[in-house]
Amino acid sequence: MATYLEFIQQNEERDGVRFSWNVWPSSRLEATRMVVPLACLLTPLKERPDLPPVQYEPVLCSRPTCKAVLNPLCQVDYRAKLWACNFCFQRNQFPPAYGGISEVNQPAELMPQFSTIEYVIQRGAQSPLIFLYVVDTCLEEDDLQALKESLQMSLSLLPPDALVGLITFGRMVQVHELSCEGISKSYVFRGTKDLTAKQIQDMLGLTKPAMPMQQARPAQPQEHPFASSRFLQPVHKIDMNLTDLLGELQRDPWPVTQGKRPLRSTGVALSIAVGLLEGTFPNTGARIMLFTGGPPTQGPGMVVGDELKIPIRSWHDIEKDNARFMKKATKHYEMLANRTAANGHCIDIYACALDQTGLLEMKCCANLTGGYMVMGDSFNTSLFKQTFQRIFTKDFNGDFRMAFGATLDVKTSRELKIAGAIGPCVSLNVKGPCVSENELGVGGTSQWKICGLDPTSTLGIYFEVVNQFMFHLRRSPFLQVFNNSPDESSYYRHHFARQDLTQSLIMIQPILYSYSFHGPPEPVLLDSSSILADRILLMDTFFQIVIYLGETIAQWRKAGYQDMPEYENFKHLLQAPLDDAQEILQARFPMPRYINTEHGGSQARFLLSKVNPSQTHNNLYAWGQETGAPILTDDVSLQVFMDHLKKLAVSSAC
Amino acid sequence: MNVNQSVPPVPPFGQPQPIYPGYHQSSYGGQSGSTAPAIPYGAYNGPVPGYQQTPPQGMSRAPPSSGAPPASTAQAPCGQAAYGQFGQGDVQNGPSSTVQMQRLPGSQPFGSPLAPVGNQPPVLQPYGPPPTSAQVATQLSGMQISGAVAPAPPSSGLGFGPPTSLASASGSFPNSGLYGSYPQGQAPPLSQAQGHPGIQTPQRSAPSQASSFTPPASGGPRLPSMTGPLLPGQSFGGPSVSQPNHVSSPPQALPPGTQMTGPLGPLPPMHSPQQPGYQPQQNGSFGPARGPQSNYGGPYPAAPTFGSQPGPPQPLPPKRLDPDAIPSPVIEDDRNNRGTEPFVTGVRGQVPPLVTTNFLVKDQGNASPRYIRCTSYNIPCTSDMAKQAQVPLAAVIKPLARLPPEEASPYVVDHGESGPLRCNRCKAYMCPFMQFIEGGRRFQCCFCSCINDVPPQYFQHLDHTGKRVDAYDRPELSLGSYEFLATVDYCKNNKFPSPPAFIFMIDVSYNAIRTGLVRLLCEELKSLLDFLPREGGAEESAIRVGFVTYNKVLHFYNVKSSLAQPQMMVVSDVADMFVPLLDGFLVNVNESRAVITSLLDQIPEMFADTRETETVFVPVIQAGMEALKAAECAGKLFLFHTSLPIAEAPGKLKNRDDRKLINTDKEKTLFQPQTGAYQTLAKECVAQGCCVDLFLFPNQYVDVATLSVVPQLTGGSVYKYASFQVENDQERFLSDLRRDVQKVVGFDAVMRVRTSTGIRAVDFFGAFYMSNTTDVELAGLDGDKTVTVEFKHDDRLNEESGALLQCALLYTSCAGQRRLRIHNLALNCCTQLADLYRNCETDTLINYMAKFAYRGVLNSPVKAVRDTLITQCAQILACYRKNCASPSSAGQLILPECMKLLPVYLNCVLKSDVLQPGAEVTTDDRAYVRQLVTSMDVTETNVFFYPRLLPLTKSPVESTTEPPAVRASEERLSNGDIYLLENGLNLFLWVGASVQQGVVQSLFSVSSFSQITSGLSVLPVLDNPLSKKVRGLIDSLRAQRSRYMKLTVVKQEDKMEMLFKHFLVEDKSLSGGASYVDFLCHMHKEIRQLLS
């Protein structure tokens, strides 16, 4: 605890909490003067290898409106076996099990180092996880093949008792019945018609009529508690079947005429997936994993028509109110997202296509349910393959790094009120004395539901901001939509809203490392002046990892120096950023786009678009320096921005 | 009796006397008649004999015409001679002769029989008296339906004169000839016919029944006579015509009786004695006859009224009409006489042989009667005439009729890229009637008279007769029926069609599984798929197949050849049906055989444990139709369905069966579809060329009226197997299925009937859809389906140019080729009503009237429909009586020869299940039959309404021909015999209680009658001649019908006999249907009312 900063970092390390202000205003007046809201970033499931789970239930404050959990900050009267709730000051008797409590015999939850504690609740039956694959078949042959392989591979990564289901869609939506012998069976739905959950369940035979059919074979239901769904079966039972089924999966057979997009019923497919789980497994951990290779083109949730000559909406169209399907589609997906969230399920979206796929409209599906959103160019890329694989990684305990059905309950002492939360959550609409009337993010409640989360999921209420960040934030894809499609914007924002501070900062202001013969690798300014001929630059924007070889370095490499034993140091220099990049690639989710480029390469644009244009074609000669690389942009440089900011700050003070 | 009774008052006698006006009067006055009769007789004799003579002489028609005159002279002798012959022929001879004797005067009456023979009469007319005599004969009965023959001739004589001279004349002769032949050839029936003559005598003597009856009999004979003419070939037309003219039917009371009696003798006594006398003549049928007679009186209270001659009635009541004396529907003469030589279609307006006759056709410019049959081959020139006659002008068209192997199927003509040559104005297709002019450079359309240029590539020089030199090289210039290859202009969306597809849609609900249907069907399909229809010498069928199973949801199957196992795709969204797959649904059988077999093996297993009892229906058809649409082809759906579709879906039905509605104004609702969804769907199907064949396996009410809407409108068929059980019904079902799957079908068809100026097609009956008033749209059309077309005048017709019909059918063959089939038919036109009546065909008429009535029940109360039928029939006959028959007493019933069976057949229509349901007939049965009849051809309606009853042990075991039929009446059954009865749908084997033990043993392999299992449906296969013969006969009967007839063995006096008796249509039915005799009396009454 050397410095205050370290203290803050340590706190974050331990509790997954980081505040925008570490000293709080003492009065309402002071508080109103703060421009930056008082907020924290909370990572509820921050991995704590050192934290032993507690195998009993928490002790709650007995005041029905409070129910705060006993914690190290509570006042405890060891002799009277009482504790005072530090939120409502209610005095509570310890439960009988705590009879032996004393100053030297404290339960874990009273020890100061357990400011974060994890209870393992023993109640309730364990239900298996559910993975429902929703697969687009309107793909190119090799894309589909790659996807099929990824899916087949994933079966081996699933917990053996997990239930898995398969829905495929194109012009129609097919719900595959698993474990059929001799004939493969699927239920087919029109891709243009929205159905209520009730209808879907009727049509899938999940309601009453299905029961008599099972009664006909009385042996089965008992043996198989989840027989009520022929569509979701334990992996270990049907992995062979499902592997074959996936193997036989064909491209959508309906002909697509010249000048048309394939008819893709994403909206209905999702609706059916949601309806299926809603009817069969409400309030259990379930992932709907949508794999799509293009925009929905028909039915509810369609984003663009099937005429190729009419392009998918752009920011320009949206500004001009010219995106005719957007509102309806968004509404459709919002409705689905809310239903899913209500059921405690989550929706992942894996969208791989060169053009937009409608993430803008579908974003809430992932955002509200805590699902993943992954965007790539093709399923046949390592970006997708490895990202997908990474979903099934396990932690040091061998558990999957995913959690479901969380309820986040925030309690405050009387002086504080909750304005809202931002992150992959929905409101549970629990009002209380600590809920503020001013809403910020998802407000009006002290409880939120997080259907799916992982150790890095972070909810936040703004973040600490310094001017430099503000400059890059302005230029970041979160605010800057120029040159980004609506889908890309949605995608970036999705991730921004759920990452912790460090990662968020990287997203706002990419990190730039420099490798050269002049010294060890060092961070350099994210500025065009940092681009020098004899440097290798490594930029991490969270979504992209860019390795950029300066002009000279590139020429050397071209000349093959790295292969000459006498220039082994050059070889090492080239290797260093690669190794560092690899390290990042290994850890990051979703896996970033990895770009290895050099001076003058077309991919160099990824770097050039991020750096501060201190030198542009406008001022290049004015600066008169030979260093750095000019950036062709009309955007203002940090210098100009700061000047402007200062002027504003002064003028607003008047 | 009433009839008879009435007869007495009947001046009918007058008929004979019509000739003698005075006579009539006298007759009226009283019984002075005796003398009067005498006179007539004399007259009769004259003519009669003549006829008879002619026959014997020859035979030939030529003689007839000429003969006629001579006949007149010879009459008396002839008649006698004739008798002799007849008598010989029949056992009755003895009696008959006696009768004759009695009647000597009567003998002349015979002449009248001759008259019935009829046409002659016309010729005879001059003999005015003769005809009368004939009529008189009828008079006897009072109602006497004097064979129109006799009367007709007379009347026609005047009017006929011409006609007869033309064809009829010859015809008449033949008739006479026939007579001769009859006795010889035919056994009982014929004898009856002969009896007729005898009867006539009776007329005289016992004017009442006998005479009148005779006519009918004579009617029979006439036919033969017809045949006679036929032989000559062309003469056929003639003879037949003549025959048609009149059949006199017997019944009427003889008011005239008194008159008659005069001649005859004491009327009352006469009656009784006569009858006896007749009996002998009539082959002993008399005995039974009496029975009926009594009935007669009973049923129709009206009978008495008939006579209006109250007095006589009383005496008459005791008498009954002699069933043998009324025209018999069992017709052997046409069969025997016209079946031997081909029917050559070269001559305009020929009446073809009856549908019960086996004959070959030679196409020489007119379409074969297998393709088109008309109600009349000589149509009135003006609409006034047509209205007067009330004879519907209709054609029953079977465009894709199957031909016997001896006849060539229509040639296919390819006119190249320009397509078939057509009239520029009316678009009629090139046909033999088109007139080439200006040296062959132009042609005048025979339909609209427009003059068209002959395209250069089609040019050909004309010979000296104005005929193209290449006329005989080109089917379209020399044949009545041929096909054109259609060009792309005739195709949907201007694209040549893809080969059609068959989709099998199988109900797999609990009922279907439980009965074993699904297993049976799947097993059968495995082999049946090898026999899909193929075209010409094609090695494999071009037809693709697909499979769907369903209960309340649908299961589609992907059976793509590349799959290791079939894929099932369930569509539960039945409210908004769609096809879930494209590729792999419709496949080539050979390519996907392994997958298909695997699928068919698995279907019964997959649903073995189903508890699902609800089904849908409309979505199933919709799915099939959508699948065809997606595949851009036409095709056929084979739907196997078990229950009322009550599952929540479009077209959901409720059980609305309510017997209480029968005989109320709301009865029609039972025949109407419950909802409009079915029609809407049918329309879509037709647009796609999607034909639906429906196989129903109901355990209870399934609302056939609604379910059959789509098959009906798409040209499909409905099969119904009530209470289906594999053990009992599998043979019938599989046989029907095989035939249905294998039969050649045309798809996506449009039929247009063009006519020459003056008439036009106004109404259409059959299984099809029409979106405008001229185009008959058929999603599918097979060789069993007919379309009945009614014509009306819109202008005056010309005797010289006649009237032309051209039926053009555009369709896609089962190989996917687009073709046009053209049928042409030329008809005569007449200015004399007699010509119309002489060229009618009753079987076709009944076909039309039945269809008209069966459609009528959709919109009108059944009673109204029945009344309309009776009224129309009465009008037809009354018009004849008024305009064509010789003047005669009103008490006589005079029928045109061609329509002598109209009353009996009409009665059969009236008492059919649709129009008069018995207690055991379900609403579904009625709806089923209603729609079946709608697309029946003439052969089918003929046997359907009047079943065939074949005695099995009368003829020697060695004889290989079908035994001659007997009339469908219980009286004809001998308890020592075994009979087969068939009506095209049902087949009964009736075993008399006193059948010889040996016969029982040979057929059933049991030792006595009592050990025969009632209700047996299969005869044991035994190695003895009788068993082989009977089984062979059963097989051959089945082969003649388009549906498999399930056999039911019925024992005399067994409770199942009721079922059988339902088909004895000449008897009074349990549901209140009149007996033949009763109805005849009723009809007579109606006619008289019209006449008065």
Side-chain angles (χ1 to χ4, degrees), chain A residues 502-524:
Chain A
T502 318
Q503 305 295 336
S504 313
L505 290 182
I506 294 175
M507 289 184 214
I508 297 171
Q509 177 177 335
I511 297 169
L512 193 61
Y513 284 97
S514 159
Y515 299 79
S516 71
F517 289 122
H518 307 298
E522 55 176 1
V524 293

Side-chain angles (χ1 to χ4, degrees), chain A residues 394-644:
Chain A
K394 297 178 180 173
D395 63 15
F396 52 90
N397 283 332
D399 293 332
F400 282 93
R401 287 190 156 113
M402 54 177 80
F404 297 93
T407 302
L408 175 67
D409 191 349
V410 177
K411 300 205 181 299
T412 60
S413 46
R414 284 183 191 164
E415 299 77 16
L416 224 49
K417 290 192 188 303
I418 302 160
I422 293 181
C425 61
V426 288
S427 164
L428 280 175
N429 274 321
V430 176
K431 311 278 187 203
C434 60
V435 174
S436 159
E437 288 177 359
N438 298 320
E439 291 190 27
L440 212 159
V442 184
T445 179
S446 64
Q447 288 186 12
W448 294 267
K449 188 171 194 176
I450 312 169
C451 300
L453 65 175
D454 61 35
T456 63
S457 297
T458 301
L459 284 90
I461 309 166
Y462 276 44
F463 28 74
E464 195 171 3
V465 176
V466 287
N467 298 350
Q468 188 186 357
F469 282 110
M470 206 48 105
F471 168 75
H472 287 291
L473 180 60
R474 245 186 86 257
R475 304 185 77 221
S476 75
F478 312 112
L479 298 188
Q480 176 64 276
V481 298
F482 177 76
N483 213 19
N484 280 326
S485 69
D487 271 8
E488 285 168 320
S489 302
S490 306
Y491 180 59
Y492 296 139
R493 288 172 185 173
H494 164 85
H495 285 287
F496 182 62
R498 53 158 49 204
Q499 291 296 339
D500 62 14
L501 179 68
T502 318
Q503 305 295 336
S504 313
L505 290 182
I506 294 175
M507 289 184 214
I508 297 171
Q509 177 177 335
I511 297 169
L512 193 61
Y513 284 97
S514 159
Y515 299 79
S516 71
F517 289 122
H518 307 298
E522 55 176 1
V524 293
L525 280 178
L526 184 61
D527 191 291
S528 56
S529 61
S530 301
I531 304 175
L532 298 175
D534 58 351
R535 277 180 177 175
I536 301 175
L537 294 176
L538 170 64
M539 181 178 75
D540 178 5
T541 72
F542 187 84
F543 298 107
Q544 294 135 1
I545 304 288
V546 182
I547 293 173
Y548 174 90
L549 306 184
E551 193 172 4
T552 314
I553 303 275
Q555 283 166 356
W556 286 343
R557 190 179 65 162
K558 209 171 177 184
Y561 285 103
Q562 70 276 20
D563 297 332
M564 304 177 191
E566 62 270 38
Y567 293 103
E568 197 180 349
N569 60 338
F570 177 58
K571 186 180 177 185
H572 289 146
L573 180 65
L574 282 178
Q575 191 58 40
L578 293 180
D579 292 344
D580 289 354
Q582 213 53 46
E583 202 171 315
I584 300 172
L585 287 172
Q586 292 300 336
R588 179 79 40 84
F589 179 92
M591 185 165 119
R593 181 189 292 266
Y594 176 53
I595 298 154
N596 200 336
T597 185
E598 59 182 27
H599 174 81
S602 67
Q603 309 272 309
R605 67 182 189 278
F606 288 100
L607 172 65
L608 301 183
S609 67
K610 292 294 180 189
V611 296
N612 172 33
S614 59
Q615 297 155 303
T616 71
H617 59 286
N618 291 326
N619 60 10
L620 174 60
Y621 302 105
W623 281 66
Q625 292 175 349
E626 287 292 315
T627 58
I631 309 298
L632 302 178
T633 179
D634 289 331
D635 209 358
V636 296
S637 67
L638 177 60
Q639 188 63 39
V640 176
F641 176 72
M642 287 301 284
D643 292 346
H644 185 66

